[in-house]
Amino acid sequence: MTRPRDDNTTEVRPTPVRPRRDEEDTLTDLPPAPPAASRRTEPPPPPSAVTTRPSGTATVDRPSDKDVPVAAGPKPRASFLATLGLILGVASVLLVLSGPLLGYGIGVAGLALILSLSGIHATGKRHVAGKTDALLGMVLSLGAIVLGVLALTGSLNWLGTDVQPVNSLREWLDAQFVNRF
């Protein structure tokens, strides 16, 4: 219903809600309500799993394969793209740190970055695991790309294509521990 107000606007009043009139037979289809539980009510006894054989020996019943519920939906699995992205991310860091294989390390890092991003996308499904693998692969590949580009531009004097950092590290370790062992 509308009623004019003093400022030439109309006020809308809600109409009252009427109760539903269901048939009586719909209320009788429901099962009886369970008794109200209290702290003093004893829980029902557990089902007996021990049976006795006619010879007098007792056996324990184990649930059969028919009794075990089967999970609905696809089987859980790890993302192959995420795992491969992590493996190639680690390999790219090692290639970049090797020195002479610096250019190949940047290329492998680019491939690892693409695979890791695809792995993150693949783990968006509920049954696919491996988000941590994909994130670690992405971080390692980005780190390898940044480190490789810095080494190629000459910003890092200890790393480059003409430097042998593995041999330098070995000589430094030998010099540090020569008199200790």
Side-chain angles (χ1 to χ4, degrees):
M1 290 186 127
T2 59
R3 182 178 80 171
R5 295 175 69 181
D6 295 336
D7 55 354
N8 293 333
T9 60
T10 58
E11 178 181 351
V12 177
R13 288 188 178 182
T15 58
V17 178
R18 295 183 181 154
R20 255 178 87 173
R21 298 191 199 293
D22 286 339
E23 296 178 14
E24 293 298 323
D25 59 285
T26 58
L27 299 177
T28 58
D29 292 342
L30 298 175
S38 69
R39 292 186 180 255
R40 296 181 187 190
T41 340
E42 291 292 323
S48 176
V50 178
T51 59
T52 57
R53 292 186 179 172
S55 62
T57 60
T59 61
V60 176
D61 290 337
R62 291 189 175 86
S64 66
D65 291 337
K66 297 175 186 174
D67 297 339
V68 178
V70 178
K75 188 176 181 181
R77 63 180 177 88
S79 173
F80 178 70
L81 292 173
T83 306
L84 195 59
L86 176 62
I87 291 170
L88 289 179
V90 171
S92 66
V93 168
L94 294 176
L95 287 173
V96 166
L97 289 176
S98 71
L101 300 175
L102 182 66
Y104 294 110
I106 294 174
V108 171
L111 180 63
L113 181 62
I114 292 170
L115 289 174
S116 296
L117 289 173
S118 300
I120 289 174
H121 178 70
T123 56
K125 296 179 183 173
R126 187 175 59 91
H127 67 281
V128 180
K131 191 171 294 258
T132 305
D133 295 347
L135 289 173
L136 282 174
M138 186 180 69
V139 167
L140 287 173
S141 62
L142 284 174
I145 290 172
V146 168
L147 192 64
V149 168
L150 286 176
L152 282 179
T153 58
S155 299
L156 302 174
N157 59 358
W158 56 272
L159 187 61
T161 56
D162 57 344
V163 180
Q164 299 286 335
V166 177
N167 293 339
S168 302
L169 178 65
R170 172 65 191 254
E171 292 171 2
W172 180 79
L173 286 173
D174 287 344
Q176 295 299 317
F177 296 108
V178 71
N179 294 329
R180 306 217 177 177
F181 293 112

